[in-house]
Amino acid sequence: MNETQIKELIEKALDMRNFSYTPYSHFNVGAALLSADDRIFTGCNIENASYTPTNCAERTAFFKAVSEGVLTFKAIAIVGGPADATELEYCPPCGVCRQVMSEFCDDEFIVIVAKSTEEYRVYTLPEILPDRFGPTNLIKR
């Protein structure tokens, strides 16, 4: 991925924070997922009063893409922080989101965790989820 693509994903993730539904935590997260065919699927976090049905921004983006038949991906950008924050901190994906990434992404998948389009960190999937359990573990031998 080049820097222009990374910044575009971060900008879309930043925009998605505006759609977060966070009446309990007031912590808005946005995500922008790049498919293998260069389409971008976006997501925001959506909370629920009973907490368990809450869905993270990353999974929202993945589930939107999968529900439209897209199963291969290149990268995701994630941004998050308090709803009223003027500056963001790094917001890495939770364990459940990392596991969803493992389901659909190979070792080349890029995870961008950003504060802004100028401050970001880039990881591969194995760097954020080493020794992962995934579909290949369940292949009949």
Side-chain angles (χ1 to χ4, degrees):
M1 288 193 68
N2 64 44
E3 193 168 334
T4 301
Q5 290 174 308
I6 290 171
K7 288 184 178 198
E8 179 184 6
L9 282 180
I10 293 169
E11 286 173 5
K12 290 194 182 293
L14 285 164
D15 288 340
M16 288 309 298
R17 291 184 71 243
N18 296 318
F19 298 100
S20 293
Y21 177 75
T22 59
Y24 311 106
S25 73
H26 307 286
F27 192 90
N28 294 5
V29 181
L33 175 65
L34 181 64
S35 67
D37 63 357
D38 292 324
R39 288 189 278 169
I40 296 175
F41 294 87
T42 57
C44 62
N45 56 326
I46 304 164
E47 294 180 346
N48 187 284
S50 66
Y51 294 106
T52 303
T54 294
N55 202 53
C56 297
E58 302 92 307
R59 284 182 282 140
T60 299
F62 270 97
F63 296 163
K64 284 170 65 175
V66 172
S67 73
E68 294 182 29
V70 178
L71 300 173
T72 54
F73 305 97
K74 293 181 185 177
I76 191 167
I78 307 157
V79 297
D84 59 354
T86 55
E87 286 188 31
L88 300 177
E89 294 300 320
Y90 292 115
C91 180
C94 75
V96 174
C97 289
R98 293 174 195 219
Q99 187 59 44
V100 168
M101 291 175 196
S102 179
E103 182 71 20
F104 295 104
C105 303
D106 62 22
D107 287 349
E108 307 306 311
F109 184 72
I110 299 296
V111 179
I112 304 155
V113 181
K115 293 181 182 184
S116 69
T117 57
E118 301 306 316
E119 286 186 83
Y120 57 87
R121 296 175 180 165
V122 177
Y123 304 95
T124 63
L125 184 55
E127 288 174 323
I128 66 162
L129 189 60
D131 300 322
R132 65 187 194 190
F133 181 88
T136 58
N137 295 98
L138 298 175
I139 295 173
K140 292 183 181 180
R141 300 186 196 288

